[in-house]
Amino acid sequence: MKRVKFRTVLIPAIVLTGIGLSSIYSAGGWVYFIRQLLWFLLSLLFFYLAYRAEKRILITFSPFLYFLAIFFLLSVLVLNHGPVKRWLNFGPVSIQPAEFAKVFAILFLARILAQKKKFSFSLSSLALPSLLIFLPAFLIFLQPDLGSALSFLAIFAFLLYFKGLRGYEIVLLFSPLFSCLFGLSLTSWVIYFFALALFLYFKASITQFLSGLGINSFFGLLTPVLFNNLKDYQKTRLLSFLSSSLDYKGTGWSAFQSKVAIGSGLFFGKGYLKGKMARLEFIPNRHTDFIFTTIGEEFGLLGGAILIGIFLYFLYNLLRLIRGLRDETGQLVIAGGVGLFFYHIVVNLGMVLGILPVTGLTLPFISYGGSSLLANFLLLGLMLNFALKED
């Protein structure tokens, strides 16, 4: 049975990587294909080491790995001097520490939460885990990489849910952030506020209802004040992130061209290596963040639906690993990993289809990028380790 579970998780991941390699060749050519193939071989080594490691040692050293990731995130900010500070250069190789920080945060948070036998929606229970998730998210936000920073919230939400918090409590915990985002538009904020009030009225206690509305009112009113104190280029960058159509010649260009390319693929697509929009460089980052555009143009709606089906099968089998697992640390490692994969898949596809803001997030196992692929297989090895191996 364990062998079956192992295969139903690893094989879809390898199939997705194979689809990614063929799409990278189509969109970027031989050079990117060879590089990604080498990263894939190294990723299998990472997967093997993570799967074979002793769980006891992984848990013991999880704080060290977490703070090592924090050290590298700080190094990125100190050593880089350009407007974008995301990579550490080691000769010809560049590594993006944010990708590994997500994995080590999951491991450490799983340990911290599993040690809490009495856990509730209270300051004493949530203070330390919130701080540990906020610290790397804030450092990544400074790079700036808002998409990756928000991925920590998705990880945290999944961890808290599987730790036992109710859905409305998680919504209440994150509601100040939503209030800030909706506060950029008075109409949107009023609609959000009444929806929140209605939701809390039926789900929360009187204390949670009143405190939730009070805190959200404060952050909603604070947003215009903070926004008006930003410089013009900061306002433009923030608004273009939330709505790419406002920056048609910048981030909006990629989203618009992506939708045109995917639409031109119709139901069956134009055929492999025949996607003119992607291959003729109408779309920046066509082999990285916008790799799904190449798949949609060359294999059409049918190819895109099959790819999404493989992702759903992969996530379903990951969730099945939790069933019957008695080790709470293992349950939480898997839950955090599912949350991270789910967030990347939904946000990347939403970005490419023009539904969500352009964030620069990779599509797991598909997009070109060594750090992303290494981190994905490292996380997968840890999840299978905690799910299938005995203590």
Side-chain angles (χ1 to χ4, degrees):
M1 188 62 185
K2 288 183 178 179
R3 185 173 296 179
V4 173
K5 287 184 176 180
F6 182 88
R7 290 175 177 173
T8 55
V9 170
L10 183 59
I11 290 177
I14 292 176
V15 169
L16 288 168
T17 307
I19 294 172
L21 282 167
S22 63
S23 300
I24 289 167
Y25 172 71
S26 177
W30 273 110
V31 174
Y32 289 113
F33 173 83
I34 295 298
R35 288 179 183 173
Q36 188 73 352
L37 182 61
L38 294 174
W39 283 119
F40 173 52
L41 297 176
L42 187 59
S43 298
L44 291 179
L45 176 62
F46 272 50
F47 170 84
Y48 176 79
L49 294 175
Y51 180 69
R52 298 294 298 177
E54 290 287 337
K55 286 191 285 186
R56 176 178 51 81
I57 295 176
L58 290 171
I59 295 171
T60 301
F61 281 92
S62 60
F64 171 76
L65 294 171
Y66 172 85
F67 286 107
L68 183 65
I70 296 297
F71 170 77
F72 281 117
L73 291 177
L74 286 170
S75 300
V76 166
L77 296 175
V78 173
L79 297 178
N80 287 284
H81 301 290
V84 179
K85 306 171 181 177
R86 298 179 184 174
W87 295 274
L88 284 178
N89 299 316
F90 300 94
V93 178
S94 297
I95 295 294
Q96 192 171 4
E99 297 295 336
F100 299 95
K102 299 169 190 175
V103 178
F104 296 142
I106 290 172
L107 191 61
F108 190 32
L109 261 293
R111 167 183 163 162
I112 294 293
L113 290 172
Q115 289 175 341
K116 290 182 176 292
K117 300 306 176 186
K118 293 183 178 179
F119 190 79
S120 61
F121 186 69
S122 63
L123 183 61
S124 60
S125 293
L126 292 170
L128 179 59
S130 299
L131 177 64
L132 293 174
I133 210 73
F134 174 78
L135 179 58
F138 179 69
L139 293 176
I140 293 170
F141 172 76
L142 294 179
Q143 292 182 355
D145 187 355
L146 184 57
S148 287
L150 291 177
S151 69
F152 285 83
L153 298 184
I155 292 169
F156 200 33
F158 271 72
L159 287 172
L160 293 178
Y161 180 77
F162 279 87
K163 181 59 183 175
L165 285 193
R166 297 181 176 89
Y168 78 87
E169 292 174 329
I170 297 172
V171 171
L172 188 58
L173 180 66
F174 292 152
S175 62
L177 175 63
F178 299 142
S179 189
C180 282
L181 293 175
F182 285 109
L184 293 170
S185 164
L186 179 61
T187 305
S188 300
W189 188 81
V190 169
I191 294 172
Y192 160 78
F193 188 79
F194 277 102
L196 178 70
L198 198 63
F199 178 76
L200 294 179
Y201 178 79
F202 287 106
K203 290 289 186 180
S205 65
I206 293 297
T207 304
Q208 291 172 336
F209 175 80
L210 294 176
S211 60
L213 295 188
I215 292 171
N216 275 270
S217 298
F218 171 77
F219 279 96
L221 293 171
L222 183 65
T223 301
V225 178
L226 294 176
F227 184 77
N228 288 328
N229 281 288
L230 294 176
K231 295 178 181 178
D232 289 341
Y233 80 90
Q234 292 173 321
K235 292 178 182 177
T236 302
R237 183 177 294 177
L238 179 61
L239 291 175
S240 64
F241 170 78
L242 296 172
S243 178
S244 57
S245 62
L246 296 176
D247 187 17
Y248 179 76
K249 296 182 178 179
T251 56
W253 172 260
S254 299
F256 175 76
Q257 293 295 337
S258 173
K259 286 188 286 186
V260 172
I262 293 173
S264 68
L266 299 177
F267 188 78
F268 290 108
K270 298 174 180 175
Y272 188 53
L273 301 179
K274 296 179 180 177
K276 295 180 179 178
M277 292 290 292
R279 292 176 63 82
L280 295 179
E281 304 184 7
F282 282 101
I283 304 165
N285 304 319
R286 60 196 183 281
H287 58 292
T288 56
D289 310 338
F290 281 82
I291 190 69
F292 185 79
T293 304
T294 302
I295 297 171
E297 185 181 10
E298 295 185 345
F299 298 99
L301 178 62
L302 180 62
I306 291 174
L307 181 67
I308 292 172
I310 297 173
F311 271 125
L312 291 175
Y313 179 72
F314 172 70
L315 292 175
Y316 170 74
N317 285 321
L318 285 177
L319 284 173
R320 285 184 62 200
L321 296 175
I322 298 179
R323 187 184 303 170
L325 186 63
R326 288 178 294 179
D327 175 25
E328 189 178 12
T329 305
Q331 293 177 0
L332 292 172
V333 168
I334 297 168
V338 170
L340 180 60
F341 283 130
F342 178 77
Y343 173 81
H344 267 257
I345 294 166
V346 169
V347 174
N348 181 278
L349 293 180
M351 172 186 77
V352 172
L353 295 173
I355 301 171
L356 294 175
V358 176
T359 58
L361 282 179
T362 57
L363 189 59
F365 305 106
I366 302 287
S367 295
Y368 174 81
S371 300
S372 173
L373 196 61
L374 286 175
N376 286 335
F377 274 99
L378 176 67
L379 177 59
L380 200 60
L382 291 174
M383 295 167 79
L384 286 171
N385 185 341
F386 278 91
L388 303 180
K389 290 181 65 180
E390 302 292 339
D391 291 321

